[in-house]
Amino acid sequence: MADSRDFNPITAAGYHDLETKIAVLEADRPEKIAILAEARAHGDLSENAEYSAAKRDLRHLESQLRFFNKQLQYAKVVNPKADTTVELGKWVTVRFLDDNDTATYQLVGTAEADLDAGKITRVSPLGKALMGHRPNDHVTIVAPNASYDVEIIAVALTSPHN
């Protein structure tokens, strides 16, 4: 049994997304196997591009399945508390003090990070600095190229954009 520090925190939505990715890959697997078997039946495997491509596609699918299954195996769903402390799964609105620009992010597990969707990992410089803080706190973020300050405007369980 793995030690609790070996688990990767993840939101319930992130866990569900992993399950969905696995289900899609498992549903595609029989077709990939059938394509490989058909290509194998065409004769000389050394000069059979169709066979090589089908074999590569199946290997890629199997690799993705192993990767997502490992992520799921070591995932630990974290359910955030109904308070205003920044933690995994919560949405945080911050004001950047250098230009008064505001942005809203959800803190998520490393496997879920997607900056385009406003999801930042809890181990990113911004995510790490925000953890444990509350609205009205001023936080300094130490990034690889510079440091900057933000003020936490709001912390919520759901996206303020819904």
Side-chain angles (χ1 to χ4, degrees):
M1 181 70 181
D3 192 314
S4 65
R5 68 178 171 263
D6 295 333
F7 287 95
N8 294 318
I10 191 170
T11 65
Y15 192 90
H16 176 69
D17 287 345
L18 279 175
E19 289 178 319
T20 301
K21 288 176 183 178
I22 290 169
V24 167
L25 290 170
E26 286 175 342
D28 287 348
R29 192 170 182 265
E31 180 185 353
K32 299 279 187 201
I33 291 170
I35 291 169
L36 179 64
E38 183 180 325
R40 182 181 293 141
H42 290 170
D44 184 9
L45 301 182
S46 65
E47 294 183 20
N48 187 335
E50 188 180 330
Y51 173 75
S52 295
K55 191 172 162 184
R56 183 187 63 245
D57 288 349
L58 182 59
R59 265 198 320 259
H60 181 69
L61 182 142
E62 296 287 353
S63 175
Q64 286 182 305
L65 263 175
R66 278 191 303 278
F67 177 74
F68 292 138
N69 276 313
K70 278 290 183 202
Q71 283 188 318
L72 204 58
Q73 179 182 355
Y74 288 99
K76 179 180 181 191
V77 175
V78 174
N79 295 307
K81 295 181 214 81
D83 63 14
T84 58
T85 303
V86 177
E87 62 182 321
L88 189 82
K90 291 189 179 170
W91 291 86
V92 184
T93 302
V94 296
R95 181 171 58 88
F96 294 89
L97 298 180
D98 58 350
D99 62 5
N100 276 336
D101 199 17
T102 61
T104 300
Y105 303 103
Q106 182 184 28
L107 268 73
V108 296
T110 53
E112 305 171 80
D114 180 354
L115 192 55
D116 291 337
K119 296 180 177 189
I120 61 170
T121 176
R122 64 186 180 81
V123 296
S124 67
L126 179 58
K128 193 183 311 183
L130 292 174
M131 292 293 284
H133 286 278
R134 297 174 176 273
N136 300 318
D137 284 358
H138 287 223
V139 180
T140 299
I141 291 79
V142 179
N145 294 328
S147 294
Y148 56 96
D149 296 310
V150 299
E151 177 185 6
I152 299 174
I153 305 297
V155 178
L157 287 171
T158 59
S159 171
H161 304 296
N162 287 344

